[in-house]
Amino acid sequence: MQPLRIAVAQIAPRLGLVDENLERHHALLAEARASGAGLVVFPELGLTGYLLQDLAGEVAMRADDRRLVELAAAAGDASAVVSFVEESTDHRLFISAALLEEGAVRHVHRKVYLPTYGLFDERRFYAAGDALRAVPSRLGVGMGLAICEDVWHLSVPALLALDGAQVIVNVSASPGRDLASTHETGLGTATSWRQILRTYAQLTTSFVVFCNRVGVDETISFWGGSEVIAPDGEALLSAPLYDEGLFTVDVELGDIRRERIALPLLRDERPELTQREVDRIVRERAGLAPDTTAEPDAGDAA
Amino acid sequence: MSGAGSPGDGADGTAAPFPIPDELRIDTAVARRVIGAFIRGQLAQAGFDRAVLGLSGGIDSALVAYLAAEAIGADRLLCVLMPYRTSSPASVADADDVVRRLGCARDLVEITGMVDAYFGEDGRAGAAGPEGSSASQLRRGNLMARMRMAVLYDRSVTWGGLVVGTGNKTEALIGYTTLFGDSACAFAPIGDLYKSQVRQLAAEMGVPDPILRKAPSADLWPGQTDESEAGFSYPELDRLLHAMIDRRRTREELVAAGFAADLVARVERMVATSEFKRQMPPVAKLGPRTAGVDYLYPRRRPGSARP
C-alpha cells in the first residue's frame, strides 16, 4: 500500500474575514496537493476565526454553500477537512467540520459538545449537533470527524471507532493556558491534549489527526502543536507550538490492520453491554428507576 | 514545600536576588512567545505598529518595555518617563538605563506642574481650592497616576502607537491600582503574571540588576515600598492568591495549608472590595440590545482597525 501523506494546516485564521481565510485555504490546499498530500486538515472555524460572538450569524454558511463546493473542487483527488459556522435550514448555528472529497461535501459533522465554562461561551452562540457518524472515505478507510471539546468526552472517540472510523480527525481552536514550568511542554493545555489523544489512538487502535490553530483572538492565544498519532499511540508528527505552517507526514494505513490484529481491543468491545448499562443509567437519572448508586436516603425524599 | 521558595535563576545562571515560589514558576520561553505574539496581534488588529508605555524605573514597566521591544522592535517603542518632584532620582536613572540598553525612543514629561496646579504648592491654592494643600497621599497618588495616563494617551496620538499596560496580576487582584490611572491601557501583556512571575521573567530577559533588586514601590514619597505599606511580602501574597484564585482553595484549605487566618481574611477582603476595578462599569439595561450585555462583538471585529 502507498503511504498516505497527511498535511496539517496549522494556520491563524483572521477573525470574521471569510474571504481572506478562504484564500488562505485555497493556497494551502494547492501547496499540500503539490507536495502529494492525500489528506489535508484545517483547524476548527478555520474559515471564520474562533471568538466570533455575535459575528457568528454574519459569517454563517449553509452546508451546500458554493464556497465549500469550490474548496472541494480545489482539493482535487485529495480529501480535505475544513471548518466553518453552519446555518441549518431552521436557522440554528453550528460549529461544523466538512469532509470534502471528489468535488463534493461528503459529510458534515456538527460539534456535539459546546464548552460553556471557564473561558468558553459556545453554548450561548451555537446549537449543539446531535449526531456522530463515521463515514467511508476515498482513502479506503472509515473516517470520523470531531471538533475540539468533542474529544474531551470519552464516548466520542469510542463511538466513532465502533462505527467504523479508522482515522479520527479532530479539528481544534484550543486556547493555551497554564505556563507552570513543571509541564512537559511548558504549557498545561498541550500536555493534557497530548496525553488524551495518544490514549485515544491506542484505545481505538486508529490514526488520530489533530489540527489545532495558532494566532491570537482578543485575549486568548492558540497554541498549535498539531499531531498525527499512529494506532499504537506513537506520535508520528508533532508540529511546533505556536508556529504557523503546513506540516506533513507519511503514514502507513496498513498499520491499522497490524495493530488491530495484534491488539484486538475493538474486536472485544461489547456495545450491547455498554448500551444496557447506559440505558439503565439514563432511566435512573430520569427518575424512572431506583438509582442503584444513590445515597441511602435519597430515594425516601422522592 | 518551603514558604520562601527557591532562588530565582538569572539570565546568566546565577541566583536571582529574590525568592520565586516553586508553584509559581513558569516556562519563560513559552511566556515570551505568547506575550510577543499577543503584543503584535493586538497592535495589528487595531491597525497600529507602534507602542508607548510609561517607564517608571520599576520592574513591571521595565519588563513590559523589554517584551515590547522584543515583539515589535525597539524603534517602534516610545518609553515616557513621568517623574513627580518627590520621585526618587534613582527611578529616572534606572529607567534611562533600560532606554539605553533597548535603544528605544524616550520622552521625559515632568508631571509636577500638572499635579501642583491642582493641589497647589508653597501655600498657593491650586484648582482644587484651599483644602487641596492638605490632600491625602491617596488622593495625590491617584491624581499622579491619572496625569500619567493623560500624558500617555496624548503621546499615543503624537507617537501613533497604542498604550501598553504595565500592571501585573497581583496588584490587579488586591486592587493596588488607580482606576483610569495606571490601569488604563489598550492591552495588558503581563496582567496575568503574578509579581513573582514578573521577577522570574524579568531576570530571564536581562532587566538590569538594580531594577530586579529594588523593593517594589509606587514611588509616591521617599522610602515608600509596597511591602512595608501592605504588611506582607510579594512571594507570600502571590502564593496565597495563586492558591485562592487559580487553585480555587477555600479559606479552610488555605489555613490548613499554613496561611495565617487573618492574612487570608484580609486578602479575601481586598480582592472582593476591588472587584469594581477589574470590570467595565455596568450600563443600566433599558434597550433591546445593550453593549456588553447582549450586544457582544470582539473588539477587533472586521472593520475595527484604524485604516
Side-chain angles (χ1 to χ4, degrees):
Chain A
M1 195 189 285
Q2 277 277 86
L4 169 67
R5 180 160 293 179
I6 298 176
V8 181
Q10 185 167 296
I11 57 173
R14 303 284 308 275
L15 189 60
L17 299 175
V18 177
D19 288 348
E20 288 187 25
N21 294 326
L22 267 170
E23 204 174 304
R24 184 97 175 108
H25 276 57
H26 276 283
L28 287 173
L29 262 181
E31 187 182 334
R33 282 185 65 196
S35 80
L39 172 62
V40 190
V41 182
F42 293 87
E44 177 182 18
L45 294 179
L47 289 173
T48 61
Y50 176 74
L51 208 67
L52 293 161
Q53 298 183 297
D54 284 350
L55 283 170
E58 298 172 28
V59 299
M61 57 182 85
R62 296 280 303 277
D64 60 1
D65 192 281
R66 172 186 52 79
R67 291 166 291 183
L68 293 176
V69 177
E70 285 168 5
L71 274 174
D77 56 6
S79 304
V81 177
V82 301
S83 176
F84 57 102
V85 178
E86 181 195 357
E87 181 168 346
S88 61
T89 50
D90 58 352
H91 310 298
R92 287 179 296 158
L93 304 178
F94 297 93
I95 298 175
S96 290
L99 173 63
L100 310 177
E101 286 190 336
E102 291 159 345
V105 178
R106 170 159 293 201
H107 172 63
V108 174
H109 168 71
R110 294 169 169 175
K111 191 173 189 176
V112 292
Y113 287 104
L114 300 173
T116 306
Y117 58 80
L119 76 172
F120 301 108
D121 202 13
E122 293 184 12
R123 196 69 175 90
R124 176 184 174 87
F125 300 100
Y126 301 101
D130 285 308
L132 280 173
R133 298 278 186 282
V135 292
S137 86
R138 55 163 281 285
L139 300 173
V141 294
M143 189 176 293
L145 302 187
I147 304 177
C148 205
E149 185 87 355
D150 283 346
V151 298
W152 282 77
H153 294 264
L154 281 168
S155 52
V156 170
L159 288 169
L160 288 174
L162 270 179
D163 200 27
Q166 302 187 33
V167 175
I168 295 173
V169 175
N170 183 67
V171 299
S172 286
S174 168
R177 50 215 188 272
D178 191 359
L179 304 188
S181 59
T182 47
H183 295 302
E184 165 206 350
T185 60
L187 182 68
T189 321
T191 305
S192 318
W193 270 96
R194 287 186 176 195
Q195 183 173 331
I196 69 163
L197 292 174
R198 286 164 202 198
T199 304
Y200 290 154
Q202 173 74 92
L203 294 184
T204 62
T205 47
S206 303
F207 278 99
V208 170
V209 180
F210 169 61
C211 179
N212 186 32
R213 63 164 291 185
V214 290
V216 179
D217 276 1
E218 306 284 289
T219 62
I220 56 183
S221 301
F222 303 94
W223 55 276
S226 300
E227 297 207 306
V228 174
I229 305 161
D232 62 358
E234 186 197 347
L236 304 176
L237 167 72
S238 293
L241 267 53
Y242 298 107
D243 284 340
E244 184 163 12
L246 185 71
F247 301 96
T248 60
V249 65
D250 290 345
V251 308
E252 299 280 353
L253 289 180
D255 287 348
I256 301 167
R257 180 175 187 274
R258 256 188 299 281
E259 186 68 17
R260 288 186 177 191
I261 286 176
L263 189 67
L265 301 178
L266 275 176
R267 181 198 71 187
D268 297 345
E269 197 58 47
R270 295 187 54 194
E272 81 294 344
L273 168 66
T274 304
Q275 182 177 20
R276 215 160 44 232
E277 297 302 331
V278 169
D279 281 348
R280 173 184 61 77
I281 292 164
V282 168
R283 288 180 55 77
E284 289 180 6
R285 289 177 63 155
L288 300 172
D291 189 342
T292 51
T293 51
E295 292 163 29
D297 320 339
D300 301 344
Chain B
M1 184 177 298
S2 82
S6 54
D9 298 321
D12 56 359
T14 58
F18 44 77
I20 300 171
D22 288 337
E23 70 268 40
L24 289 170
R25 284 186 168 278
I26 55 168
D27 188 306
T28 51
V30 175
R32 278 166 89 158
R33 190 81 205 267
V34 171
I35 293 171
F38 173 80
I39 292 171
R40 285 188 299 274
Q42 293 296 324
L43 291 174
Q45 289 163 6
F48 286 79
D49 58 10
R50 295 174 139 204
V52 54
L53 61 83
L55 194 66
S56 68
I59 192 169
D60 296 334
S61 58
L63 172 60
V64 175
Y66 270 72
L67 288 164
E70 182 171 85
I72 61 174
D75 56 321
R76 297 180 181 196
L77 174 65
L78 171 64
C79 287
V80 188
L81 284 57
M82 296 172 284
Y84 180 68
R85 59 179 155 81
T86 57
S87 299
S88 156
S91 298
V92 171
D94 288 339
D96 269 331
D97 190 26
V98 169
V99 166
R100 195 164 44 246
R101 286 167 187 248
L102 291 178
C104 59
R106 174 236 197 229
D107 202 351
L108 178 75
V109 180
E110 303 251 8
I111 60 164
T112 305
M114 301 165 75
V115 173
D116 290 353
Y118 184 75
F119 286 125
E121 64 170 327
D122 295 336
R124 275 202 324 268
E131 69 82 30
S133 60
S134 57
S136 65
Q137 290 293 352
L138 177 73
R139 287 173 64 196
R140 301 185 67 84
N142 279 338
L143 189 76
M144 288 178 210
R146 292 183 180 122
M147 290 302 105
R148 291 184 175 117
M149 176 278 293
V151 169
L152 286 176
Y153 273 85
D154 179 60
R155 287 298 188 261
S156 168
V157 177
T158 56
W159 178 251
L162 289 184
V163 176
V164 186
T166 57
N168 66 58
K169 186 172 185 170
T170 308
E171 64 186 18
L173 283 174
I174 62 170
Y176 208 65
T177 61
T178 296
L179 196 59
F180 312 119
D182 56 315
S183 64
C185 61
F187 54 89
I190 61 167
D192 203 19
L193 290 182
Y194 288 108
K195 190 77 173 187
S196 304
Q197 297 168 328
V198 166
R199 288 167 161 170
Q200 186 195 353
L201 187 54
E204 178 68 31
M205 292 194 74
V207 168
D209 208 46
I211 296 178
L212 298 180
R213 284 176 185 278
K214 74 168 75 169
S217 168
D219 200 14
L220 296 179
W221 58 85
Q224 179 196 24
T225 69
D226 297 357
E227 288 163 311
S228 64
E229 218 176 325
F232 39 59
S233 76
Y234 270 115
E236 182 185 25
L237 178 60
D238 286 349
R239 288 184 60 238
L240 175 55
L241 287 169
H242 177 259
M244 185 186 288
I245 307 288
D246 294 273
R247 297 291 167 226
R248 301 172 192 253
R249 295 294 186 261
T250 64
R251 182 184 293 193
E252 292 69 28
E253 288 168 333
L254 293 168
V255 172
F259 293 103
D262 57 343
L263 178 67
V264 173
R266 184 162 154 240
V267 170
E268 274 183 347
R269 205 159 49 240
M270 293 172 91
V271 172
T273 55
S274 61
E275 195 60 54
F276 73 98
K277 293 188 179 183
R278 295 185 291 273
Q279 300 192 16
M280 291 290 283
V283 175
K285 173 73 178 165
L286 299 171
R289 224 175 159 202
T290 308
V293 180
D294 44 18
Y295 175 81
L296 299 174
Y297 279 86
R299 73 187 65 215
R300 302 309 179 199
R301 61 193 287 183
S304 65
R306 187 182 68 152

